[in-house]
Amino acid sequence: MSSMFSRQRGPASTICCRTTHRPLSGESKVPWNLGKLNHVAIAVPNLEKASAMYRDVLGAKVSNPMDLPEHGVTVVFIELGNTKLELLYPLGDKSPIQGFLKKQPDGGMHHICIEVDNIREAIKTVQEKQIRPLNPEPKIGAHGKPVTFLHPKDCGGVLIELEEA
């Protein structure tokens, strides 16, 4: 029987579950490497209030706000042990975050960012696989590194940012 869980009878007729591992379907060979989760971005309607919650209530290390006019956002980074949160606040009338907050006034998860070791090869590969980058040419992101975003309709409803490590 090839199931994820198999039942075994143990001592005194107790029933326990044992997991069995299925082999992965294989890794796709691409000329670049997918790295770690860099950050999870959260759109917020009030940057000061959100920053204070992470700093004063949860005790996190919180960066100073940084304006990124080319992206239409002000960002604050929350340092976590193994990754970061990125708070996004609209900057200017044409900010993509303004549109997000119109639909979700309380804010919410906006995107995830995953590191890659070669952003140009990653863009080329995703385009070959019919995944649409929102910006086919990388832009410089908040960390001073090249980034691109992948269309959420092509990525299971998730906006994915790729950042060169």
Side-chain angles (χ1 to χ4, degrees):
M1 176 187 269
S2 172
S3 71
M4 198 64 150
F5 297 96
S6 60
R7 293 191 177 258
Q8 278 186 316
R9 296 238 178 233
S13 296
T14 59
I15 297 176
C16 63
C17 293
R18 176 185 71 193
T19 59
T20 56
H21 298 284
R22 292 184 184 179
L24 297 175
S25 62
E27 294 179 19
S28 177
K29 303 296 180 206
V30 294
W32 49 277
N33 294 304
L34 192 62
K36 68 177 186 166
L37 175 68
N38 183 283
H39 64 266
V40 174
I42 303 168
V44 298
N46 184 320
L47 192 57
E48 287 108 27
K49 184 177 176 182
S51 296
M53 193 276 296
Y54 285 100
R55 183 186 56 245
D56 302 339
V57 176
L58 298 178
K61 182 179 175 186
V62 176
S63 76
N64 290 322
M66 179 173 38
D67 291 343
L68 299 175
E70 64 278 8
H71 294 279
V73 296
T74 299
V75 298
V76 167
F77 285 99
I78 313 297
E79 294 291 330
L80 303 177
N82 59 349
T83 192
K84 297 178 281 298
L85 298 178
E86 179 184 48
L87 303 181
L88 301 171
Y89 184 76
L91 178 65
D93 295 336
K94 296 182 181 179
S95 171
I97 301 307
Q98 190 66 43
F100 183 94
L101 290 172
K102 281 183 183 175
K103 294 177 188 170
Q104 296 184 61
D106 293 334
M109 210 254 329
H110 185 263
H111 69 267
I112 64 170
C113 177
I114 304 170
E115 294 178 356
V116 297
D117 66 353
N118 187 325
I119 192 80
R120 291 198 180 276
E121 285 296 325
I123 291 170
K124 182 179 169 188
T125 300
V126 299
Q127 286 176 316
E128 289 169 356
K129 304 285 186 180
Q130 314 316 301
I131 305 294
R132 294 170 288 172
L134 296 180
N135 51 304
E137 282 298 313
K139 294 182 178 182
I140 300 302
H143 298 110
K145 297 177 180 180
V147 301
T148 193
F149 287 86
L150 306 180
H151 201 295
K153 289 185 178 178
D154 299 337
C155 300
V158 178
L159 178 61
I160 298 174
E161 178 182 16
L162 299 178
E163 177 180 279
E164 190 162 276

